[in-house]
């Protein structure tokens, strides 16, 4: 079994989000807690700015939840930069136990998964799960300098600037994480580092199919199937793969990467990055849960586990997807 | 490690078939008119130096290059050149202004890691290959030239 069914499902009591300037112009603008006017955020480097974005997200979460720093059981955080420096330097400012995790863009669901295990076994309470990404720091690490006059290929995605954080509790008001599936690394041999959607779609389909098989649930049992950052092209490939196995997800599938930016900007496939799923989930979807417009969703974030070195060495892109099932438990037996 | 175990050729074929393609007519047209405009600008500087400042033929090329490189660097610093590049593609990469852009942009970007380990050492990350292969091929062509005219 890859799927874990929690006996004591953790509650997502609070969430916070900090969004970059471009994200703040998008459709989800009024759901964000804090919107940056400048992506430097008053810092000298993009890396420091990213750390500050994550710091702010956790800080807002603490003030929303009114839980003191010393009552925090654990902070689970991750990002895209080498040695996950954004998370480390952000959490440095809090006097809290910390686990740094990395699974590229699927880090957020990995954090939820690990946090849920701690709560399920009652080892800890008040667990913060946070991830961040920053367009400019990611470009610096994976691609070219910002001012270089180059053309973005049609398959490329735009790294989201922003962070999302949420609080997991043993008790409280809010949606619960009831099940979770740990993904396997799937690599079908896609080598184009720009085609992350195409590389990640098989991993996404693999995890979701495993989940359906192990829980005997159907697509229609869920209000929404939310993927992390497959983008427009990856979504298409994902739907095709699911269709091939006899599942039609086109009715209730939505992709965070497709939601986060203004639809009118047609030059790329949508958002990506570790901050993409956390930013969208911790703002928009948490709001929908609070308003009881959603009852049961699958959140499945996908990660392309490549590095700038492995791509140059001709390696294909290993991908992974972790799944969490989130439910509003009220009104149920 | 055997990689062929997991590689799925059917999937790779399917992905390459359904991937969106670059619109070549549009990109070629854009590259043509912007690249052409940059070259016309260079040529007009040449004519200006030749007719107004009466510079001699052997320094003209150097002066024109200097002006174009300066303009490329300046536009990069003002954050304009990347927008031109996004629109024009090879039209703004191939002329000498593109070379200036490829040196100045990492210099700006990596200044945050200091002047020695950042700016100076990362300055040629993109232009480095151009210099290496440019110089190597010029040596090669020079040798061929020498053999054709002096030995034969």
């Amino acid at each position: 079994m890859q799927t874990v069914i929690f006996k004591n499902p953790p509650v997502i009591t609070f969430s916070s989000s900090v969004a970059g300037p471009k994200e703040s112009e998008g459709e989800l603008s009024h759901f964000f807690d804090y919107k940056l006017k400048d992506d430097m955020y008053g810092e000298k480097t993009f890396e420091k700015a990213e750390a500050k974005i994550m710091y702010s997200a956790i800080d807002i979460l603490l003030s929303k939840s009114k839980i003191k720093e010393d009552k925090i059981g654990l902070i689970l955080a991750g990002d895209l930069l080498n040695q996950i420096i954004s998370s480390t330097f952000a959490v440095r400012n809090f006097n809290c136990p910390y686990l740094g995790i990395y699974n590229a863009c699927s880090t957020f669901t990995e954090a939820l998964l690990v946090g849920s295990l701690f709560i399920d076994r009652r080892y800890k309470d008040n667990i913060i799960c946070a991830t961040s990404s920053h367009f400019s720091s990611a470009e610096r690490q994976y691609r070219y300098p910002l001012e270089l006059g180059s053309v973005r290929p049609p398959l490329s995605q735009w790294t989201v600037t922003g962070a999302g954080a949420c609080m997991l509790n043993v008790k409280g008001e809010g949606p619960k994480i009831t099940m979770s599936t740990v993904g396997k690394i799937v690599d079908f041999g896609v080598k184009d580092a720009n085609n992350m959607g195409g590389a990640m779609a098989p991993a996404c389909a693999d995890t979701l199919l495993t989940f359906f098989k192990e829980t005997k649930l159907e697509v229609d049992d869920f209000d929404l199937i939310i993927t992390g950052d497959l983008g427009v092209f990856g979504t298409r490939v994902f739907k095709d793969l699911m269709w091939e196995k006899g599942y039609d997800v086109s009715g209730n599938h939505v992709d965070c990467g497709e939601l986060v930016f203004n639809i009118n900007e047609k030059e790329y496939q949508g958002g990506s990055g570790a901050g993409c799923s956390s930013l969208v989930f911790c703002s928009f979807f948490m709001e929908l849960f609070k308003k009881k417009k959603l009852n049961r969703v699958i959140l499945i974030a996908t990660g392309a586990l490549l590095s700038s070195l492995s791509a140059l060495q001709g390696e294909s892109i290993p991908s992974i997807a972790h799944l969490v099932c989130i439910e509003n438990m009220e009104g149920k037996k | 490690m055997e990689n062929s175990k997991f590689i799925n050729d059917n999937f790779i074929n399917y992905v390459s078939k359904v991937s969106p393609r670059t619109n070549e007519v549009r990109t070629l047209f854009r590259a043509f008119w912007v690249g052409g405009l940059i070259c016309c600008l260079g040529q007009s500087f040449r004519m200006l130096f030749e007719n107004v400042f009466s510079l001699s033929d052997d320094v003209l090329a150097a002066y024109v290059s200097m002006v174009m490189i300066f303009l490329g660097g300046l536009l990069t610093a003002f954050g304009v050149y990347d927008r031109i590049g996004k629109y024009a593609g090879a039209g703004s990469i191939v002329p000498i202004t593109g070379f200036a852009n490829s040196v100045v942009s990492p210099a700006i970007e990596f200044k945050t890691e200091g002047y020695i380990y950042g700016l100076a050492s990362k300055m040629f990350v993109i232009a480095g290959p151009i210099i290496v292969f440019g110089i190597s091929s010029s040596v090669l062509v020079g040798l061929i030239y020498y053999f054709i005219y002096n030995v034969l």
Side-chain angles (χ1 to χ4, degrees):
Chain A
M1 283 278 278
Q2 277 170 254
T3 306
V4 187
I5 296 165
F6 299 116
K7 287 198 182 95
N8 307 301
V11 191
I12 310 176
T13 47
F14 296 96
S15 67
S16 65
S17 53
V18 177
K22 199 181 178 77
E23 290 70 19
S24 305
E25 287 168 13
E27 308 284 313
L28 307 178
S29 179
H30 56 279
F31 294 100
F32 300 136
D33 290 321
Y34 188 80
K35 293 170 222 169
L36 303 188
K37 289 192 180 65
D38 170 28
D39 65 350
M40 289 298 270
Y41 204 2
E43 293 289 329
K44 284 202 176 109
T45 72
F46 292 122
E47 287 76 13
K48 287 181 193 198
E50 189 182 335
K52 192 171 169 187
I53 288 173
M54 184 181 266
Y55 171 81
S56 304
I58 298 175
D59 200 42
I60 293 171
L61 186 68
L62 286 176
S63 58
K64 264 188 177 180
S65 64
K66 298 194 179 66
I67 295 172
K68 294 244 166 58
E69 232 176 275
D70 55 334
K71 292 275 187 287
I72 297 297
L74 178 66
I75 297 180
L76 283 155
D79 59 89
L80 294 179
L81 298 185
N82 291 340
Q83 287 81 41
I84 51 169
I85 48 171
S86 312
S87 311
T88 310
F89 289 112
V91 180
R92 180 171 70 174
N93 297 294
F94 299 101
N95 190 19
C96 301
Y98 162 65
L99 278 179
I101 51 175
Y102 177 81
N103 251 201
C105 314
S106 65
T107 308
F108 184 58
T109 43
E110 190 190 9
L112 291 177
L113 199 162
V114 176
S116 301
L117 290 173
F118 273 104
I119 298 228
D120 187 44
R121 305 297 294 169
R122 296 280 188 266
Y123 289 138
K124 300 219 179 253
D125 195 7
N126 304 329
I127 293 179
I128 293 177
C129 301
T131 57
S132 71
S133 57
H134 192 300
F135 170 73
S136 304
S137 64
E139 284 296 295
R140 245 162 91 88
Q141 182 175 311
Y142 290 105
R143 295 177 199 98
Y144 298 116
L146 291 175
E147 297 300 333
L148 185 74
S150 61
V151 184
R152 299 182 77 80
L155 277 172
S156 64
Q157 287 174 280
W158 191 276
T159 309
V160 165
T161 303
C166 64
M167 179 81 79
L168 301 184
N169 285 101
V170 172
K171 278 184 284 192
E173 289 258 317
K176 292 185 171 179
I177 302 176
T178 51
M179 287 173 272
S180 183
T181 307
V182 186
K184 285 180 191 164
I185 292 181
V186 177
D187 186 346
F188 278 1
V190 175
K191 284 190 176 170
D192 180 5
N194 286 306
N195 189 5
M196 290 196 292
M200 296 189 297
C204 188
D206 182 78
T207 306
L208 191 58
L209 289 171
T210 310
F211 175 77
F212 283 145
K213 210 171 88 188
E214 291 182 347
T215 57
K216 308 246 171 2
L217 291 166
E218 290 290 324
V219 178
D220 293 334
D221 292 328
F222 298 92
D223 298 331
L224 278 180
I225 294 169
I226 308 164
T227 52
D229 56 352
L230 288 175
V232 181
F233 179 68
T235 298
R236 189 212 152 140
V237 177
F238 167 65
K239 283 178 184 167
D240 284 358
L241 287 170
M242 292 302 288
W243 180 257
E244 200 182 57
K245 299 280 178 200
Y247 290 89
D248 183 10
V249 292
S250 53
N252 51 1
H253 168 266
V254 62
D255 186 63
C256 296
E258 282 187 86
L259 284 177
V260 69
F261 292 119
N262 206 326
I263 315 168
N264 298 328
E265 299 191 49
K266 281 183 183 148
E267 48 186 324
Y268 29 75
Q269 299 286 328
S272 70
C276 180
S277 50
S278 67
L279 179 69
V280 176
F281 182 80
C282 292
S283 55
F284 179 56
F285 289 114
M286 277 302 284
E287 193 64 30
L288 290 184
F289 264 119
K290 270 184 200 153
K291 288 182 178 156
K292 311 281 182 219
K293 284 188 178 159
L294 285 179
N295 202 31
R296 194 187 209 189
V297 302
I298 288 175
L299 175 66
I300 175 163
T302 48
L305 305 173
L306 78 166
S307 85
S308 41
L309 291 182
S310 76
L312 288 178
Q313 292 177 2
E315 276 284 1
S316 51
I317 305 168
S319 305
I320 199 157
H322 299 300
L323 179 151
V324 286
C325 172
I326 300 162
E327 296 179 44
N328 251 342
M329 301 287 270
E330 289 124 45
K332 289 201 163 182
K333 55 199 175 213
Chain B
M1 283 202 304
E2 190 61 57
N3 285 3
S4 56
K5 258 194 315 203
F6 51 76
I7 286 177
N8 187 331
D9 288 322
N10 282 339
F11 181 75
I12 306 268
N13 289 338
Y14 153 78
V15 164
S16 61
K17 212 163 74 186
V18 295
S19 294
R21 303 235 176 280
T22 307
N23 183 343
E24 272 159 17
V25 177
R26 195 177 66 188
T27 49
L28 282 173
F29 173 73
R30 285 175 172 182
F32 178 76
W33 86 261
V34 178
L37 193 74
I38 294 173
C39 294
C40 290
L41 192 72
Q43 186 62 31
S44 59
F45 275 119
R46 192 185 170 100
M47 286 155 93
L48 180 82
F49 294 146
E50 197 174 7
N51 299 323
V52 180
F53 299 103
S54 338
L55 293 174
S56 66
D57 223 28
D58 41 330
V59 292
L60 266 177
Y63 272 65
V64 173
S65 301
M66 266 152 53
V67 171
M68 296 308 282
I69 286 175
F70 172 75
L71 285 177
L74 191 73
L75 288 176
T76 306
F78 285 142
V80 180
Y81 206 87
D82 61 318
R83 286 172 205 199
I84 301 174
K86 208 171 168 185
Y87 175 82
S92 63
I93 294 170
V94 175
I96 200 162
T97 45
F99 182 77
N101 171 250
S102 73
V103 176
V104 175
S105 59
I108 297 171
E109 182 107 357
F110 290 98
K111 201 181 135 238
T112 48
E113 278 80 47
Y115 284 98
I116 295 169
Y117 294 109
L119 188 146
S121 75
K122 294 280 173 67
M123 206 167 180
F124 292 99
V125 279
I126 292 155
I130 308 172
I131 296 170
V132 170
F133 292 116
I135 292 174
S136 318
S137 56
S138 71
V139 169
L140 203 71
V141 171
L143 283 172
I144 295 169
Y145 180 86
Y146 176 82
F147 278 109
I148 288 175
Y149 283 91
N150 294 6
V151 179
L152 294 178

